[in-house]
């Protein structure tokens, strides 16, 4: 596990801040590169968001250009995303926010939040897999 005490040699002067919300996913793709990782024993939740934002100052020394939410499947952690968005926008208003998702858990409400905050979404999919036939934006009435 990476931490301020074990930073794997990376600098705090970064362009993209990747926030891994957790490793849980509602799919179990055979090619998943994260399947071999196990969740930390440390359990976190929405109540830890403010502390996380404060602790970022220990890790990040310049304003990132981009902030990406990752999982597992990040939309499983939607309440945390909703809590993080205003705090991150307040902290780094020029940063571009993105969510990398399999798209299957998008709903009208989530799409509204994504659009109103100008968040990019990148939907992971491979032709012929379950991702390909799910059309989350269409399901959410936005395509
Ligand atoms: S949707 Fe992505 S994170 Fe989930 S199991 Fe498949 S490859 Fe892994």
């Amino acid at each position: 596990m990476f931490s301020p005490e074990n930073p794997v040699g990376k600098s705090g002067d970064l362009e993209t801040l990747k926030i891994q919300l957790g490793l849980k996913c509602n799919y179990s793709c055979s090619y998943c590169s994260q399947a071999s990782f196990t969740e930390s024993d440390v359990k976190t939740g929405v109540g830890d968001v403010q502390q996380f934002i404060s602790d970022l100052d220990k890790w990040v020394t310049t304003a990132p250009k981009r902030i990406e939410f990752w999982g597992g499947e990040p939309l499983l952690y939607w309440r945390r995303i909703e809590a993080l968005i205003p705090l991150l926008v307040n902290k780094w208003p020029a940063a571009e926010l993105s969510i990398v998702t399999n798209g299957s858990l998008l709903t009208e409400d989530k799409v509204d939040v994504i659009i109103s905050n100008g968040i990019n979404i990148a939907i992971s999919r491979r032709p012929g897999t379950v991702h390909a036939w799910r059309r989350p934006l269409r399901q959410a009435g936005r395509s």
Side-chain angles (χ1 to χ4, degrees), residues 27-108:
Y27 288 162
S28 54
C29 306
S30 59
Y31 54 83
C32 183
S33 61
Q34 299 181 64
S36 58
F37 293 96
T38 54
E39 290 272 5
S40 164
D41 287 339
V42 178
K43 300 297 178 203
T44 58
V46 175
D48 300 303
V49 165
Q50 184 62 62
Q51 187 62 52
F52 172 76
I53 294 291
S54 300
D55 285 347
L56 279 175
D57 291 334
K58 301 177 194 168
W59 298 47
V60 182
T61 53
T62 59
K65 291 184 179 146
R66 290 172 294 280
I67 301 171
E68 297 176 355
F69 296 111
W70 287 78
E73 171 44 51
L75 296 184
L76 284 173
Y77 304 94
W78 180 248
R79 289 185 57 226
R80 291 179 210 185
I81 291 175
E82 280 191 302
L84 282 164
I85 289 170
L87 298 173
L88 290 167
V89 168
N90 183 57
K91 191 173 185 68
W92 292 306
E96 183 177 273
L97 270 58
S98 302
I99 301 174
V100 181
T101 171
N102 64 35
S104 63
L105 300 175
L106 280 171
T107 62
E108 188 89 17

